Amino acid sequence: MEMSKEEQYQEYVKQVTPGKNLPLQMLKAFLAGGVICVLGQGILEWLSYLGLDQKTAGSWCSIILVALSAILTGLGVYATITKWGGAGCLVPITGFANSVAASAIEFKAEGQVFGIGSKIFIIAGPVILYGIFSSWLLGVIYWVIGLF
């Protein structure tokens, strides 16, 4: 019995698609995210050691992590790290910075306005939009509950 073209294609896809090892992916994500968090904590401790108060040190730590992520994205290093660490690299603040920097780099050939200016938040934009909207909605719900 001969297979249809669709069945042949599906069989080919099964052969060439790499298998996924979920426990290994989870371990890698945990390790990658953990390393980013340890790096952040190290920066925070270093800044506190230099005499900055906790709030100022936290702000500078965020700025440094975002800058490092943007620089590593520009150098093409963050993509390699993310390919290995998966969501562990994408979830923290460094992942947000990576998504903004990667969009800017990808669309820079289209110019400052129609490229970078228009598309810089193409990935991060929905995160910002739905984050703000959901926090507003929860605030309204909290306010309504407080009326009773």
Side-chain angles (χ1 to χ4, degrees):
M1 185 167 153
E2 195 171 312
M3 293 172 52
S4 71
K5 288 194 181 260
E6 178 66 26
E7 290 171 333
Q8 289 175 348
Y9 176 72
Q10 292 302 326
E11 186 62 34
Y12 171 75
V13 168
K14 283 182 191 176
Q15 291 174 1
V16 297
T17 303
K20 295 190 180 200
N21 184 342
L22 185 59
L24 181 61
Q25 287 178 318
M26 291 169 51
L27 177 63
K28 287 179 176 182
F30 177 78
L31 290 173
V35 167
I36 291 170
C37 291
V38 167
L39 175 65
Q41 188 64 43
I43 293 169
L44 191 62
E45 295 296 326
W46 175 65
L47 293 171
S48 295
Y49 173 78
L50 293 178
L52 276 71
D53 63 276
Q54 198 67 21
K55 187 175 179 182
T56 305
S59 297
W60 275 104
C61 179
S62 296
I63 292 168
I64 291 168
L65 287 172
V66 166
L68 282 173
S69 176
I71 291 167
L72 291 176
T73 299
L75 296 173
V77 175
Y78 204 86
T80 304
I81 296 168
T82 303
K83 189 172 183 174
W84 184 85
C89 301
L90 298 176
V91 174
I93 192 171
T94 55
F96 181 79
N98 168 258
S99 69
V100 173
S103 295
I105 292 166
E106 183 178 350
F107 294 106
K108 75 178 181 179
E110 295 179 28
Q112 296 290 320
V113 175
F114 294 112
I116 296 172
S118 298
K119 311 247 173 110
I120 193 166
F121 289 110
I122 201 164
I123 296 171
V127 174
I128 296 168
L129 171 70
Y130 292 114
I132 290 171
F133 176 73
S134 62
S135 63
W136 173 82
L137 184 62
L138 290 172
V140 169
I141 292 169
Y142 181 76
W143 176 71
V144 169
I145 291 172
L147 292 176
F148 300 106

